Amino acid sequence: MSPASTGASTTVGAVPSAASSDSRLTPGAPGYRRMSLALFLAGVATFALLYSTQALLPLISDDLGVAASEASWTVAAATGGLALFVLPMSALSERFGRRTVMTASLAVAVTVGLLVPFAPSLPALVALRALQGAALAGLPASATAYLAEEVRPRALVTAIGLFVAGNSVGGMSGRVITGWVAQVWGWRVAVGVIGVIAVGCAVAFRLLLPAPRHFTAGSLRPRVLAGTVRDHLSNPLLRRLYVIGALFMTVFGGVYTVIGYRLTAQPFGLPQGIIGSVFLVYLVGTVSASTAGRLVGRLGRRGALYLAGGTTATGLVLSLAQSVPLVLLGLVLITAGFFAGHAVASSAVSRTATTGRAQASALYQSAYYVGSSAGSTVGAVAFHAAGWAGTVGVGLLAVAGVGTITLLGTRAARLATRPAPA
């Protein structure tokens, strides 16, 4: 492995030491807490903005006179914009730096967020949300690449888990806040409040994030970028991780896009504020994502993925009940399984790719948000056609795909370690 990839000193005549051999950050080191808090806040802003309309879809449907499948495009457009632009934005981060691209992305996204409440129609709202998603594309891949370069490998799963935990807090707080604000002042004021909160997160992020010490600028030449992408896609492990991320997000996107419609209908008939509070279960995701490192340490990567998939499937089945407590328990298990699986898969991508980390992470994020868009759209269509059971059926198929792909990875690993015949 090259010095650039390890962060090792290359000074001639230098005396070897622990600091000179690897100066990357570890828990407890100066700058680690600032970095963790900065990226946590970036994760909060990303998910709060990206899914700011998800808990409000019934209100948007009523206000704009559109069906659930049409209103769901306010979510799908944002995640689709992110999926489409994450690879180009990762290329910019290879050339201009992770911190620069993340800062610019947040600045544009929060500006658009302040315009969203004034959208006069569904097409205008969808267009603004697509632009917002495209702007946010600079965050996920750049953040994981930044961590892979600035944090020692043994601490990487934990560090990425904290970033993913920020995602869960952002997703939870955005939905809870919008639910209660919208109940009193409507959905436009609610998304405006999220925009203001995201501005604060963006400013704090820029002030806290340490300057990168191990970044080496790459090339923007299309041929170089295409070669890097081709190398990543030719790696069987990375391909499996990309599909796993997409399938996990298909479940999550479908469930949380439709759950508001289910809980406002009979036999539940819950008000908007209570429905927003349901998203407090995201706190479970905060815990499961931040402890993913310990989970991998005990069970291994594939064991952790099996557990995450099984937990998600159990939650889907429980959510079919006509009882609010059982539905909530189902959402808790779905959320815990999803965030654990996402943290494990995304950190595995960062550890597997030794070059072009931003592109490797970008491909994962692209697949992940394609899964979100697909889940939001297909989950809403399935709900319209067959009710909540249709949405659950889509989710169970996706979880079955996670288990199958992980099993294929297990078999491939056993074959790779089997001694060659004499």
Side-chain angles (χ1 to χ4, degrees), residues 33-55:
R33 288 184 179 178
R34 288 181 57 208
M35 177 206 69
S36 297
L37 179 57
L39 290 175
F40 179 86
L41 291 173
V44 169
T46 298
F47 256 49
L49 289 171
L50 196 62
Y51 294 100
S52 59
T53 63
Q54 193 173 58

Side-chain angles (χ1 to χ4, degrees), residues 279-295:
F279 291 92
L280 285 168
V281 299
Y282 265 50
L283 291 173
V284 176
T286 304
V287 175
S288 66
S290 60
T291 58
R294 290 198 293 271
L295 190 64

Side-chain angles (χ1 to χ4, degrees), residues 79-403:
T79 54
L82 194 154
L84 185 62
F85 280 87
V86 68
L87 188 58
M89 294 294 276
S90 73
L92 292 178
S93 82
E94 291 281 9
R95 179 65 182 85
F96 298 107
R98 321 300 186 196
R99 189 169 69 161
T100 299
V101 169
M102 287 189 285
T103 301
S105 293
L106 272 178
V108 174
V110 298
T111 301
V112 175
L114 297 176
L115 298 176
V116 166
F118 302 101
S121 63
L122 181 65
L125 178 58
V126 170
L128 285 172
R129 295 282 292 146
L131 177 60
Q132 193 170 49
L136 288 170
L139 263 296
S142 297
T144 51
Y146 176 95
L147 289 169
E149 292 163 351
E150 304 300 325
V151 176
R152 292 189 188 180
R154 289 187 177 181
L156 183 59
V157 176
T158 299
I160 290 180
L162 288 172
F163 174 65
V164 174
N167 292 167
S168 70
V169 169
M172 177 272 296
S173 59
R175 290 163 172 88
V176 172
I177 292 169
T178 55
W180 285 105
V181 172
Q183 183 169 306
V184 180
W185 291 291
W187 71 268
R188 295 181 185 275
V189 174
V191 294
V193 169
I194 293 301
V196 172
I197 292 173
V199 169
C201 289
V203 172
F205 162 81
R206 186 60 182 84
L207 293 175
L208 288 169
L209 189 68
R213 300 174 60 192
H214 301 280
F215 170 73
T216 302
S219 173
L220 274 177
R221 288 179 296 172
R223 181 177 297 179
V224 174
L225 176 61
T228 302
V229 170
R230 185 173 59 250
D231 289 344
H232 292 326
L233 291 177
S234 66
N235 185 316
L237 174 55
L238 288 177
R239 288 201 304 268
R240 289 195 295 270
L241 292 170
Y242 296 153
V243 177
I244 285 171
L247 291 172
F248 266 122
M249 196 53 164
T250 297
V251 180
F252 199 69
V255 165
Y256 279 102
T257 294
V258 173
I259 191 64
Y261 289 100
R262 187 189 185 206
L263 295 178
T264 55
Q266 295 304 320
F268 305 109
L270 300 180
Q272 187 65 45
I274 297 298
I275 291 172
S277 297
V278 166
F279 291 92
L280 285 168
V281 299
Y282 265 50
L283 291 173
V284 176
T286 304
V287 175
S288 66
S290 60
T291 58
R294 290 198 293 271
L295 190 64
V296 172
R298 292 180 180 179
L299 303 176
R301 182 182 65 249
R302 289 182 291 276
L305 289 174
Y306 284 130
L307 179 60
T311 302
T312 304
T314 303
L316 286 167
V317 173
L318 278 176
S319 73
L320 289 167
Q322 300 298 308
S323 161
V324 171
L326 287 178
V327 171
L328 290 178
L329 178 58
L331 291 176
V332 165
L333 295 177
I334 292 167
T335 304
F338 162 73
F339 276 106
H342 170 41
V344 171
S346 60
S347 60
V349 168
S350 295
R351 293 195 68 175
T352 301
T354 56
T355 60
R357 286 192 177 100
Q359 280 73 51
S361 295
L363 288 169
Y364 175 84
Q365 296 293 335
S366 182
Y368 175 79
Y369 285 108
V370 164
S372 178
S373 295
S376 299
T377 304
V378 176
V381 171
F383 179 77
H384 184 74
W388 182 250
T391 303
V392 168
V394 171
L396 289 174
L397 285 174
V399 173
V402 170

